[in-house]
Amino acid sequence: MIDRLPSGSDRLDKVLGGGLPLNGITLLAGRPGSGKTILAQQYLFGNATAGRPALYLSTVSEPLEKILRYGQSLDYFDTSALGSSVFYDDLGQMLNDQGLPGVLARITELLRERRPGLMVIDSFKALRVYATDAGAFRRFLHDLAGRLSAMAVTSFWVGEYDDTDASDAPEFAVADAILSLSTEHTAEREMRVLQVLKLRGSGFLTGKHTYRLSPAGLDVFPRLADPLHDASYGGDVERISCGIDALDQMLSGGYWRGSSTLIAGPSGAGKTLLGLHFIFDGAQRGETGVIATFQENPVQLERILQGFSWSLKDPGIELMYRSGVDLYLDEWVHDFLTTVQRTGARRVVIDSLGDLRAAAGDELRFREYVYSLLQRCARANISVLMTQEVTELFGVTRLSEYGISHLSDNVLLLQFLRGDSALKRALTVLKTRGSAHDQHLRQFDITAEGVVLGEQFSPGQSLL
């Protein structure tokens, strides 16, 4: 079994299958500003000891003084460790005067003198231009890797590599692990992405994982993609009320515990209100509920709730409000799952899916996340209600552009109808998985009591 080097971040170690290989060579690749230096120093200060110190070696890309100045602004930077367990050295002058042979000699000297457990060379890519030819650079790599292996040193080679370097640069073949840090653009949004390109002798989480940079270092949010799971799905075979008696009757007794429900309809039709009925009904029955919303901030939502004699001060309600601006889907999902686990919630409302879709970047990524999220909730017997806005006010012809309705156990459609010189609201239960349901179109009104269902529309009534 390969020994691991922890990063200080449980989520990053999860992506790496437990951590980076100890005593291996890790290539940190990314454009300037992607956080390579921050991540490298995060590893150093988290693992350096007086007995197995860490070396940070700068070359000719960034002055050592600048690295130290910016490093001191980070939470993990421990000035008391400098000179005892963490050592910095500048190879720039040696590189300019004596080239790669001089650098190799200086590194060999430092290895013997300091006996480090970790070493960073930043920037490693800058060394390549000092080789007399490709063969000389390969010999330098071979000799350096041999010395690091003989001394059992975990090393990080930091460089401003791009996609073309992966097939051409020989250091990619030498490295035991390769981490790519990049930035993806979708319209006006920017999203930082970490990807494991190589991890010798170990499994890891594939795909792109978003991350943020902060004074605490690199905070990674692993991609949520649950495959088919062997665990049982829920243990409670029971119906739970949606909070509206007449709708419970249409659903043949309510929703199944642990099921997922999609409520689709145009703006103002009452989607959020149906979700609030569901959450506050659960709170009255002693079931904690989470309202995850991007639509109304706490002040707006409290104003709405007061009109129906509800309140966010209810001890059984947890509000998770996030702005849709600069939203990372990965970050939101992990925050959501943490909130659900912390509160012990049995019912959750996500209002709305459109905001999550905008943060996803692409349709496939969005569908994978929704599928994985619903599967996790189903296994834990957590009932999920989601809202989805449709663009058509009248005569709705499709529910969603994202293919989410087939993932839901229940699908309810709200729509506006014209009649008697006034707009009417109508509700239809389109789907209840594994259950019979009332398929009639029912008129409903929004009153001080919330949603009140009326009679079904007569066969001869115009529904245009």
Side-chain angles (χ1 to χ4, degrees):
M1 183 176 180
I2 299 177
D3 292 330
R4 303 288 187 164
L5 182 75
S7 65
S9 168
D10 291 340
R11 289 197 290 256
L12 177 54
D13 289 341
K14 180 181 178 181
V15 171
L16 297 170
L20 289 172
L22 194 65
N23 303 329
I25 298 171
T26 296
L27 197 66
L28 295 182
R31 296 185 181 278
S34 58
K36 304 182 298 300
T37 299
I38 291 177
L39 180 57
Q41 293 186 98
Q42 180 176 326
Y43 270 100
L44 259 63
F45 280 94
N47 293 280
T49 65
R52 295 285 286 170
L55 283 175
Y56 199 103
L57 308 178
S58 64
T59 59
V60 291
S61 288
E62 194 168 27
L64 181 58
E65 294 78 7
K66 189 175 182 181
I67 294 175
L68 286 169
R69 184 168 67 251
Y70 283 105
Q72 291 177 37
S73 66
L74 301 169
D75 295 344
Y76 57 73
F77 194 97
D78 182 7
T79 55
S80 66
L82 300 180
S84 58
S85 60
V86 177
F87 297 87
Y88 285 82
D89 204 306
D90 189 351
L91 299 178
Q93 191 62 48
M94 178 68 70
L95 186 59
N96 286 322
D97 293 344
Q98 302 183 28
L100 293 183
V103 167
L104 184 61
R106 177 56 179 161
I107 291 176
T108 303
E109 179 184 351
L110 289 171
L111 291 176
R112 290 172 178 168
E113 177 185 349
R114 300 296 185 189
R115 298 284 174 176
L118 298 94
M119 186 180 73
V120 172
I121 301 177
D122 184 5
S123 156
F124 196 88
K125 184 179 180 181
L127 301 178
R128 192 191 305 172
V129 298
Y130 287 84
T132 55
D133 53 50
F137 188 63
R138 287 183 178 273
R139 287 191 295 272
F140 168 77
L141 291 178
H142 179 269
D143 292 342
L144 177 59
R147 284 163 172 74
L148 295 174
S149 177
M151 299 289 290
V153 179
T154 303
S155 63
F156 294 85
W157 296 354
V158 180
E160 300 76 25
Y161 299 98
D162 55 32
D163 295 339
T164 59
D165 292 310
S167 58
D168 300 331
E171 50 265 52
F172 277 73
V174 176
D176 300 295
I178 302 173
L179 304 185
S180 169
L181 305 179
S182 61
T183 301
E184 294 188 349
H185 299 266
T186 303
E188 297 300 318
R189 292 177 181 257
E190 287 188 351
M191 182 171 63
R192 296 183 182 272
V193 174
L194 178 146
Q195 189 171 10
V196 182
L197 302 182
K198 177 182 179 181
L199 193 56
R200 185 169 286 156
S202 174
F204 57 88
L205 296 184
T206 61
K208 298 178 179 180
H209 314 277
T210 58
Y211 68 93
R212 290 190 186 273
L213 298 177
S214 73
L218 208 75
D219 196 2
V220 179
F221 310 102
R223 166 176 169 257
L224 190 72
D226 287 8
L228 184 65
H229 205 284
D230 294 333
S232 61
Y233 281 69
D236 299 334
V237 182
E238 64 169 332
R239 299 274 191 173
I240 59 173
S241 175
C242 65
I244 303 170
D245 292 340
L247 182 54
D248 285 340
Q249 295 176 14
M250 294 182 67
L251 296 165
S252 298
Y255 304 130
W256 288 111
R257 170 80 68 187
S259 65
S260 57
T261 301
L262 175 67
I263 299 181
S267 176
K271 303 182 296 299
T272 300
L273 186 53
L274 284 179
L276 295 174
H277 271 287
F278 178 63
I279 287 292
F280 280 92
D281 177 80
Q284 292 178 354
R285 301 171 189 269
E287 298 180 1
T288 301
V290 171
I291 304 171
T293 181
F294 312 91
Q295 300 294 310
E296 282 89 17
N297 63 48
V299 174
Q300 293 172 319
L301 186 57
E302 183 65 35
R303 188 183 304 124
I304 294 171
L305 294 175
Q306 289 177 357
F308 302 102
S309 301
W310 294 324
S311 176
L312 291 174
K313 297 178 181 179
D314 190 313
I317 302 299
E318 176 86 8
L319 177 64
M320 181 181 153
Y321 169 70
R322 299 292 183 271
S323 169
V325 178
D326 193 29
L327 180 69
Y328 279 16
L329 178 58
D330 309 67
E331 181 180 18
W332 180 89
V333 166
H334 285 279
D335 195 4
F336 174 80
L337 292 173
T338 299
T339 301
V340 170
Q341 183 178 20
R342 173 178 55 81
T343 60
R346 302 299 305 277
R347 303 186 184 198
V348 298
V349 166
I350 301 174
D351 188 21
S352 70
L353 291 179
D355 297 280
L356 292 181
R357 172 62 183 87
D362 64 75
E363 182 177 334
L364 178 59
R365 183 181 180 89
F366 173 65
R367 292 178 64 181
E368 282 186 348
Y369 267 78
V370 173
Y371 170 82
S372 301
L373 187 63
L374 295 182
Q375 294 302 305
R376 291 197 181 192
C377 289
R379 291 195 295 269
N381 261 326
I382 299 169
S383 305
V384 182
L385 188 147
M386 307 168 288
T387 68
Q388 172 65 55
E389 183 169 329
V390 299
T391 58
E392 300 161 305
L393 286 177
F394 306 101
V396 176
T397 58
R398 59 180 180 177
L399 295 182
S400 168
E401 300 175 358
Y402 321 126
I404 298 302
S405 58
H406 75 280
L407 299 178
S408 306
D409 299 305
N410 312 296
V411 178
L412 277 62
L413 172 64
L414 308 183
Q415 55 186 317
F416 290 113
L417 304 176
R418 298 185 182 94
D420 301 328
S421 300
L423 290 179
K424 297 177 183 285
R425 289 184 170 91
L427 180 150
T428 313
V429 179
L430 296 184
K431 170 186 174 183
T432 55
R433 183 170 286 145
S435 173
H437 61 273
D438 185 345
Q439 298 180 342
H440 291 98
L441 194 66
R442 297 279 295 272
Q443 182 175 342
F444 72 93
D445 296 308
I446 297 177
T447 70
E449 303 299 321
V451 171
V452 178
L453 262 69
E455 298 298 323
Q456 68 187 54
F457 286 91
S458 62
Q461 186 172 356
S462 172
L463 303 181
L464 297 178

